[in-house]
Amino acid sequence: FHYHRLAPVEDLLAALPGQYRKNVRRAYRRAEDLGDITYHTARSREECEALFPEFLELEASGWKGEGGTGTAIALDPELHRFYESLMRRCADQGHWLISDVRHGNRPISASFGLVLDQTLYGLKVGYDESYGRIAPGTLLHWYILRTAHEDPQLEVYNEVSDSAWQLQWQPLSADTLDVAVFSPGLTGRLASAEMHALRYIRSQLVRAKRRWVGSGRGQRRLSWPRWSRA
C-alpha cells in the first residue's frame, strides 16, 4: 500500500515531479476561474450522516457505477450497511471524517476515512467526472494532505491501496501480507486445497503472459499499435 508521512505543504509540493507540480497548480487556477469552489471536512456524526448519502451518489455516478466496474458501495446493500454502521460507531468516538470539494452546493469529489493511532486511513474516494477539467480528485487529494498535516493528532496518511495514479504524489510504500487460517477437518482441507490451486493457476497464467511478451510474436503484437499510428 502507499502512504505519506505528513509534512508542510511546501515540502510536499517540492517533492512532486515538475510536470505534476504544474498540473496541481493548473487545477487550482482552473478551479478559481470556475468560482464557488469550497473545501470541507466533516467530523461529527451528524455531519457525516448528512454527507454519507451524497458520497454514495457521487461514487456511483462515475466509473465505479453500473456502467463501469460496478464496485460502488451503493450497488451492494451488504457493503452499504457495513460502511454505514462503521461510520456511525467511529464518528461517535471521533475517529471518522468525510472530506469533500464542492461547486456551489454540489459535491464534485469526496473521500471518507478512519482516524486511528495517529494515522488517517483513506478508505473510499469518488469524484464527478464531468468536472475533469479542474481535476477534482487532485484538488481533494491535495486538500486532504494539507489539512491532515495541520491536525496535531495525525502523522501518516495511509491510502490503503497501491493504485498507479497515486505514484504521481511520490508516496512511500509498504508490503502487506495475507494470512489464511483454516478450520481442522475435511472442510478446512478442501478450502486450503482450493486456495492453493487458484494461486497456482494464477502464477502459471502470469508466467505464460511473460513468456508470450518476451517472445517475438508477443513483441510484434505489443509494438504494432505504436508503429501503425506513426
Side-chain angles (χ1 to χ4, degrees):
F1 60 88
H2 297 318
Y3 68 97
H4 293 271
R5 290 283 180 187
L6 298 174
V9 174
E10 297 77 12
D11 295 344
L12 292 172
L13 191 61
L16 297 180
Q19 183 57 50
Y20 202 66
R21 218 165 32 238
K22 294 178 182 177
N23 292 343
V24 173
R25 288 169 175 158
R26 184 184 302 115
Y28 268 94
R29 287 198 302 270
R30 289 177 174 175
E32 289 176 358
D33 292 341
L34 181 62
D36 205 13
I37 296 291
T38 56
Y39 305 82
H40 177 252
T41 298
R43 294 180 178 271
S44 68
R45 174 169 173 169
E46 292 74 18
E47 280 190 298
C48 289
E49 285 185 331
L51 291 180
F52 190 61
E54 290 187 343
F55 172 85
L56 296 180
E57 183 178 354
L58 181 65
E59 184 193 37
S61 70
W63 60 273
K64 295 182 184 179
E66 291 182 344
T69 61
T71 56
I73 295 173
L75 303 181
D76 187 331
E78 185 175 348
L79 197 61
H80 185 176
R81 287 192 294 272
F82 169 77
Y83 277 115
E84 189 170 35
S85 174
L86 182 65
M87 174 195 66
R88 288 172 175 167
R89 293 199 306 271
C90 293
D92 282 341
Q93 300 171 13
H95 296 314
W96 195 265
L97 58 81
I98 298 179
S99 300
D100 65 8
V101 181
R102 309 178 78 88
H103 180 216
N105 293 323
R106 178 180 181 178
I108 61 174
S109 58
S111 172
F112 65 74
L114 175 65
V115 177
L116 190 65
D117 295 332
Q118 298 178 310
T119 299
L120 168 59
Y121 295 90
L123 301 182
K124 290 289 183 179
V125 63
Y127 58 89
D128 189 332
E129 295 173 2
S130 67
Y131 282 81
R133 189 172 185 276
I134 66 171
T138 296
L139 296 177
L140 176 66
H141 193 78
W142 191 240
Y143 169 65
I144 291 173
L145 287 174
R146 293 198 332 265
T147 54
H149 173 256
E150 294 167 359
D151 188 334
Q153 300 181 23
L154 294 176
E155 294 183 359
V156 175
Y157 175 44
N158 188 328
E159 299 180 278
V160 199
S161 71
D162 59 351
S163 299
W165 67 267
Q166 296 167 347
L167 294 174
Q168 300 173 103
W169 294 89
Q170 302 296 295
L172 301 171
S173 297
D175 295 329
T176 58
L177 298 176
D178 292 328
V179 178
V181 179
F182 300 97
S183 61
L186 179 61
T187 302
R189 290 197 295 271
L190 289 174
S192 175
E194 179 185 21
M195 184 191 74
H196 284 90
L198 290 174
R199 286 182 175 176
Y200 176 77
I201 292 171
R202 281 196 292 266
S203 69
Q204 292 302 307
L205 289 173
V206 169
R207 290 177 182 175
K209 181 178 179 181
R210 287 174 178 171
R211 287 196 298 268
W212 182 82
V213 170
S215 69
R217 182 184 176 190
Q219 290 173 358
R220 287 195 299 272
R221 179 69 66 85
L222 290 174
S223 62
W224 177 78
R226 291 194 291 271
W227 60 255
S228 68
R229 284 198 297 268

